Amino acid sequence: MKKTLVASALTAAIFVPSVSAIEIYKDDKNAVEIGGWMDARIINTQGATEVVNGSSRINFGFTRDMGSDWKTFAKLEWGVNPFGNSEIVYSSESNFESQSSDFLNNRLGYAGLAHDKYGSLSIGKQWGVWYDVVYNTNLVNTWDGNASGTYTYNKADGAVNGTGRGDNTVQYRNAFGDVSFGLQVQLKQDSFDLTDNSEDGNPSPFPTAAKNFMTGSSTASTSETIATVEYNNTVGGSITYAATDMLTLTAGFNLGKFDGTMVSGEGISETDYIYGAGLTWGGFEEPGFYAAVNINKNEFHDTDNMGRLMHDAVGLESLFSYKFENGLKPIFAYNYLKAGDAYEAFYNDGEFKRQFIVAGLHFVWDDSTMLYLEARKDMSEFNAGNQTPDEDDGVAIGIRYYM
C-alpha cells in the first residue's frame, strides 16, 4: 500500500517530530500527548568553541473525539533554552549587569477540527503549507533550512510571510487516496515606514523609492519618513503525491504583497512570491537509503545577510543518508541560495551566494536517543559587507534526547 506523508487531515494538522510523542492521558473522548526534545551540542566555528542549545523544545497535543468521525484538536509548542545564555552588560547607569535570554519562547499554538472525509481546518501559529514542500531536507541537526525560503528575514522562523511557523494563519487540509493538499491564508495587518537614508548609499528594494530598507525598518532612526508600506495578508498552497511506497513528490507556492504610497503620491507595489517542488525517496528514520531535494524560485521574499530585501533568488537544498541496522547513519547535505541579476544590479555591490555542504554521522542509539557529529564546509561568496559570522566552516558534536 502506498504511504503518504500526510496520511490524514488530522495527522497533517497535528504535525509532530519524527519521533512519536508520548501519550500521557487517554479516555473514551480525550487524549493528551507530550513531545519535543532536548538537544545539547558543542560547536566550533569562527575560531571559538561553545556549548549551545540545539533548538530544544516541548509541545503538548490535545485531541477530542466529537463523534460522527469529527475530532477537535489543539497544539502548543515552546522553544526551550535550558543551558543559559547570560552575558555581561554595561548599562547607562555605569553598572555592570548580567542578563539572560528567555527560558521559553513561542513556536506553535493553534486549534482546529477535523473529519476523516471533509478534512481539517486549523487556526493559529502553525507550520505553513510551504513547509510541506521543503521539510524533507530540513533534517540536519546543526545547519539546515537556509536556502528553502522557509526561515525568511535573515534566518528567522518564517512567521512574517507564513512560509515557516506562520503567525495568524488559517489552513484547510485534506487527502484523497495518494494525494493530499493544503491551502492557507495568513490574516494580519503589518506596516512599516520607509525612511530617507539615501546619503548612506543603500537603496530600497522598491524601484519607486530609492531609499534604505532593512527588514521593515530603517537603520537610521532620525531619517525622514518618505512612505508607509503595508504588508498584510498572504496565501499559500501545497500538494503531495505518494507516487510509490518510496517516492513522494511535493509542490507549492506562497504569495504576499507590499503596497504603499510615498509622500509625493507615487505608489509602491511589489509581490513577494515563492514557488517550487520537492522529491523524497525513502524515510529519514527508516533503515536504508534516503534522498531528498527541493528547489525554489522567489522574488521579494527573503533578505541577504545585511537584512536587505532580495529582488530575486533561486534556492536548492538536498540531503542524502543511509541508516544501517546498527543505528549508524552517515549524512550529506548541500545548500545553495543565489540572488539574481536584479539584486546585483540594484545594490551594485557584488553577488550574494550562500553555498555550503554538511557531512556527518548520526548514531540512533534507540528511538528516543541520538548522538551526532556534523561538519560544515562553507563555499559562500559575498561582498565584504554581506559576510556574517555564521557563514563559515564549523564542527558540532551533540546529543538529542527525544521525549
Side-chain angles (χ1 to χ4, degrees):
M1 180 179 178
K2 297 178 182 179
K3 64 177 182 180
T4 62
L5 295 180
V6 191
S8 69
L10 182 59
T11 303
I14 310 177
F15 190 85
V16 296
S18 56
V19 176
S20 297
I22 300 172
E23 190 172 74
I24 59 175
Y25 177 80
K26 184 174 177 60
D27 59 25
D28 293 339
K29 189 177 182 69
N30 301 286
V32 181
E33 296 180 335
I34 184 171
W37 66 65
M38 184 81 73
D39 188 316
R41 66 184 61 147
I42 302 170
I43 186 169
N44 176 269
T45 188
Q46 288 288 312
T49 302
E50 298 179 286
V51 173
V52 299
N53 174 31
S55 300
S56 300
R57 65 200 61 178
I58 185 170
N59 58 65
F60 296 89
F62 307 87
T63 58
R64 179 169 296 158
D65 188 345
M66 307 303 294
S68 301
D69 295 326
W70 285 99
K71 291 183 174 66
T72 56
F73 59 86
K75 186 162 190 177
L76 300 169
E77 181 172 276
W78 296 271
V80 182
N81 177 22
F83 309 120
N85 190 26
S86 299
E87 58 183 358
I88 296 175
V89 177
Y90 187 66
S91 70
S92 58
E93 289 81 19
S94 300
N95 296 321
F96 284 100
E97 301 176 7
S98 175
Q99 294 184 358
S100 299
S101 61
D102 293 339
F103 177 70
L104 294 174
N105 61 85
N106 180 36
R107 284 176 57 90
L108 298 170
Y110 57 88
L113 69 161
H115 188 276
D116 293 342
K117 179 180 178 181
Y118 304 124
S120 71
L121 182 70
S122 55
I123 304 171
K125 183 176 177 64
Q126 53 196 315
W127 282 107
V129 296
W130 172 252
Y131 195 61
D132 299 351
V133 182
V134 299
Y135 81 95
N136 53 2
T137 57
N138 193 27
L139 299 168
V140 178
N141 294 334
T142 313
W143 295 282
D144 61 3
N146 293 334
S148 66
T150 301
Y151 304 112
T152 54
Y153 289 78
N154 211 359
K155 304 167 191 174
D157 71 347
V160 172
N161 39 21
T163 50
R165 296 186 296 275
D167 290 344
N168 307 324
T169 59
V170 180
Q171 288 182 8
Y172 173 75
R173 294 179 178 271
N174 209 339
F176 300 96
D178 299 318
V179 177
S180 56
F181 68 91
L183 299 173
Q184 172 180 301
V185 61
Q186 187 177 28
L187 302 175
K188 60 188 182 63
Q189 301 294 319
D190 287 344
S191 65
F192 57 89
D193 289 335
L194 202 62
T195 55
D196 186 350
N197 197 31
S198 55
E199 66 271 13
D200 289 350
N202 294 323
S204 161
F206 305 119
T208 54
K211 309 298 176 183
N212 185 52
F213 174 74
M214 292 189 68
T215 60
S217 62
S218 170
T219 54
S221 59
T222 58
S223 299
E224 180 183 357
T225 298
I226 61 169
T228 298
V229 180
E230 293 186 353
Y231 185 85
N232 296 323
N233 305 333
T234 70
V235 296
S238 69
I239 187 168
T240 299
Y241 172 51
T244 71
D245 287 342
M246 298 294 290
L247 177 63
T248 301
L249 307 176
T250 59
F253 74 95
N254 195 82
L255 182 69
K257 196 166 186 180
F258 295 95
D259 287 307
T261 305
M262 300 182 65
V263 293
S264 63
E266 188 176 10
I268 298 172
S269 181
E270 297 294 347
T271 300
D272 162 8
Y273 74 76
I274 185 170
Y275 62 88
L279 177 153
T280 305
W281 180 270
F284 188 68
E285 304 296 342
E286 301 299 322
F289 179 66
Y290 175 84
V293 62
N294 56 71
I295 58 174
N296 72 82
K297 176 74 170 66
N298 63 81
E299 289 190 4
F300 294 96
H301 179 71
D302 207 348
T303 57
D304 63 15
N305 291 343
M306 294 175 65
R308 302 176 308 183
L309 207 61
M310 290 192 285
H311 289 64
D312 58 337
V314 174
L316 178 146
E317 291 190 357
S318 61
L319 174 62
F320 307 92
S321 70
Y322 191 94
K323 185 178 181 181
F324 294 94
E325 294 294 337
N326 60 7
L328 288 175
K329 181 164 59 177
I331 68 166
F332 177 83
Y334 173 69
N335 278 21
Y336 173 90
L337 179 65
K338 175 70 164 62
D341 294 339
Y343 166 91
E344 293 183 18
F346 197 83
Y347 293 115
N348 195 31
D349 59 2
E351 70 175 334
F352 176 90
K353 181 168 70 175
R354 177 181 295 142
Q355 181 177 222
F356 62 89
I357 61 174
V358 176
L361 181 64
H362 294 183
F363 174 47
V364 184
W365 203 340
D366 62 20
D367 290 342
S368 300
T369 309
M370 175 176 58
L371 308 177
Y372 61 90
L373 171 67
E374 295 178 354
R376 164 175 163 149
K377 176 62 179 176
D378 188 71
M379 302 173 291
S380 300
E381 296 180 20
F382 308 114
N383 64 68
N386 261 329
Q387 184 66 44
T388 56
D390 59 341
E391 307 287 355
D392 197 7
D393 299 344
V395 178
I397 184 171
I399 179 172
R400 178 171 291 184
Y401 182 88
Y402 294 92
M403 296 180 183

